[in-house]
Amino acid sequence: MAQNFHSNSKLPSDISTTSSRTAKPSSEFYSLFSQEEVFGIIDALEVRREIPLKYSYKGRGAKIWNDFYLKYIIPRWYRTSNVEIELLKDNFQYFNGNIKTGEKVNIVDVGAGNSYPVKNFIQRLNKLDKINKYIALDISEELLHVSKNNFTKWFPLIEFISSTIDIENHCIPEILFQNQASLEMDDTAKIFLHLGVTIGNHQNRDEVLKNFRDSMGKNDFLIFTNETGSNSKWDGIVRGGCKYHVEEVYGWVKKKIGIKSEDCELVRKYDLKTDSIVANLKLRHNYTINFSQMRIDKKIEMSEGEEITIWRHHKYEIPNLLQEIERSGLQLIHYSTDKYKSHIMVICKLDLSIFENMRG
């Protein structure tokens, strides 16, 4: 039986039908996403008029991201630095000093993408014989294939494990930390990485940090990076991901959802409600988005002029960052910025008082 959803959208009778259009997600859309993910997209569209960016990394979206990274982010002869790589390099002695003598660590790379940001970091730890295994996690199976191809070429002797995960909705399964031979829990300390500006792309950052907290042990570290600054002072000039990645995501969304190019436009702006820079698909006509596969029967009505958020980015101001970390039950133990003070690397551990209460 088809499943119906309660809708907060306007009733069809509220919307003029003279210029109404209908969008039907493509067959590829239903092949890319699980039923749970389709429900998530429907809910996000209804409740907050958004198609979360995380879904755009699936299918061809993986190639879009990898191509964007290789072209605009990876160091080249004419662009010698990469923020995440440089911050990992600058903080290497801190990481190395906190790994006990003679012990190894598991690297858990959440949102691994193509694994380029961690290459030099792992290479340095590996030379010191401090890597036990590398666990690549991402929402996109296609990006995990890219990660595996890269990583096993760079480090053929390091054990590689991968799994799909949506860190915004799920903790990291303990089974990934089991020893394959004995199936006993591997108590090797873990370094959880969440690099790039991924934390700033999430809709629910609090939930992400709590899911990390619930995945960590008392000897583990969480390391994430993001931009710093005031979002509201955005100068309106589109650059970097807000330009090049957004343009590709916009085309990807239109094609997958079935909205014609002439019926919409791309709008980038500061959103006060979420204190984020967003990219929105703005409708030029009334639209009905009709989800009608996977035993789903759902129509979402949208009016001319309404906008769907397809990309978001939140910069951190330090007080705001500290509040989010403390709310999540983590403890900030170290942070540093790049030379321009535009990006930050944050290192956290469990707040042991909360950890003991959870275990007790």
Side-chain angles (χ1 to χ4, degrees):
M1 178 181 293
Q3 291 190 246
N4 291 289
F5 295 79
H6 174 72
S7 174
N8 294 321
S9 306
K10 295 182 179 181
L11 295 173
S13 58
D14 295 330
I15 299 175
S16 170
T17 59
T18 55
S19 60
S20 184
R21 308 286 198 272
T22 299
K24 294 183 178 181
S26 66
S27 58
E28 185 184 0
F29 172 90
Y30 293 103
S31 68
L32 285 178
F33 301 114
S34 67
Q35 189 179 62
E36 179 186 3
E37 288 170 332
V38 175
F39 289 164
I41 291 170
I42 290 172
D43 183 67
L45 271 171
E46 280 210 292
V47 174
R48 59 181 189 271
R49 292 298 194 244
E50 180 170 11
I51 298 176
L53 176 64
K54 60 190 177 185
Y55 295 121
S56 71
Y57 295 108
K58 305 193 78 169
R60 186 177 174 276
K63 184 177 187 307
I64 289 172
W65 167 251
N66 190 50
D67 289 348
F68 166 72
Y69 189 94
L70 295 179
K71 186 173 183 180
Y72 295 106
I73 302 179
I74 194 169
R76 301 287 188 190
W77 65 267
Y78 53 87
R79 182 181 59 241
T80 56
S81 66
N82 168 284
V83 173
E84 292 76 46
I85 294 173
E86 291 299 313
L87 284 169
L88 283 170
K89 179 181 177 182
D90 292 344
N91 287 278
F92 182 80
Q93 293 305 322
Y94 182 87
F95 302 134
N96 187 42
N98 280 276
I99 300 172
K100 294 180 181 178
T101 303
E103 293 190 359
K104 297 187 177 185
V105 293
N106 293 325
I107 303 296
V108 187
D109 194 357
V110 183
N114 56 23
S115 292
Y116 265 99
V118 302
K119 180 182 177 183
N120 293 344
F121 178 65
I122 290 179
Q123 190 172 49
R124 293 184 72 182
L125 284 176
N126 193 42
K127 284 183 178 180
L128 299 173
D129 196 29
K130 290 193 173 182
I131 298 289
N132 183 44
K133 58 187 171 186
Y134 174 75
I135 301 171
L137 305 175
D138 205 286
I139 195 172
S140 168
E141 291 182 12
E142 294 81 7
L143 277 175
L144 288 175
H145 289 312
V146 176
S147 170
K148 182 177 181 179
N149 288 338
N150 287 337
F151 193 88
T152 54
K153 178 177 65 178
W154 300 329
F155 308 107
L157 300 181
I158 298 178
E159 182 181 0
F160 176 93
I161 297 172
S162 67
S163 182
T164 57
I165 188 172
D166 179 357
I167 193 62
E168 202 166 12
N169 292 324
H170 301 283
C171 296
I172 299 168
E174 287 190 352
I175 193 172
L176 293 173
F177 308 132
Q178 287 180 343
N179 289 306
Q180 298 300 308
S182 64
L183 296 184
E184 295 179 354
M185 288 304 296
D186 182 356
D187 60 0
T188 304
K190 298 177 284 293
I191 296 178
F192 291 85
L193 299 173
H194 202 45
L195 301 179
V197 294
T198 311
I199 191 75
N201 295 144
H202 292 300
Q203 187 272 329
N204 192 337
R205 297 186 302 278
D206 281 349
E207 196 64 26
V208 170
L209 291 174
K210 288 176 183 176
N211 284 336
F212 273 117
R213 177 203 67 193
D214 293 342
S215 304
M216 294 169 66
K218 63 181 180 180
N219 296 319
D220 299 340
F221 295 91
L222 168 64
I223 301 162
F224 65 87
T225 57
N226 201 61
E227 279 192 86
T228 59
S230 172
N231 303 286
S232 62
K233 293 181 180 178
W234 182 52
D235 59 13
I237 299 173
V238 295
R239 53 175 72 87
C242 190
K243 176 172 175 57
Y244 302 108
H245 190 219
V246 161
E247 289 172 354
E248 295 289 347
V249 171
Y250 177 59
W252 186 94
V253 169
K254 287 187 296 181
K255 183 176 180 182
K256 295 297 178 291
I257 297 298
I259 297 174
K260 295 180 179 179
S261 294
E262 60 267 27
D263 291 345
C264 59
E265 61 181 302
L266 178 60
V267 176
R268 300 171 177 91
K269 63 184 182 182
Y270 168 68
D271 179 51
L272 176 62
K273 184 176 180 180
T274 61
D275 189 30
S276 301
I277 305 302
V278 297
N280 293 350
L281 182 156
K282 183 176 181 179
L283 294 172
R284 291 174 174 159
H285 300 277
N286 299 335
Y287 246 94
T288 300
I289 304 176
N290 185 6
F291 296 89
S292 59
Q293 291 190 35
M294 290 181 160
R295 297 192 301 168
I296 298 170
D297 183 13
K298 176 64 187 175
K299 293 181 174 65
I300 297 178
E301 307 283 356
M302 298 189 65
S303 300
E304 176 186 346
E306 282 200 85
E307 298 178 9
I308 301 170
T309 297
I310 60 171
W311 185 93
R312 64 166 67 245
H313 178 56
H314 172 81
K315 294 181 182 179
Y316 274 119
E317 294 184 273
I318 301 300
N320 164 251
L321 172 62
L322 294 175
Q323 288 175 357
E324 289 192 11
I325 290 172
E326 290 174 4
R327 275 202 307 266
S328 68
L330 293 167
Q331 182 180 13
L332 175 68
I333 59 173
H334 181 75
Y335 77 85
S336 67
T337 60
D338 68 324
K339 60 184 178 182
Y340 302 110
K341 300 189 183 302
S342 63
H343 288 72
I344 190 169
M345 173 165 281
V346 177
I347 306 174
C348 303
K349 294 194 77 171
L350 285 176
D351 184 320
L352 290 181
S353 61
I354 294 177
F355 176 80
E356 295 302 331
N357 288 335
M358 289 169 56
R359 293 297 184 266

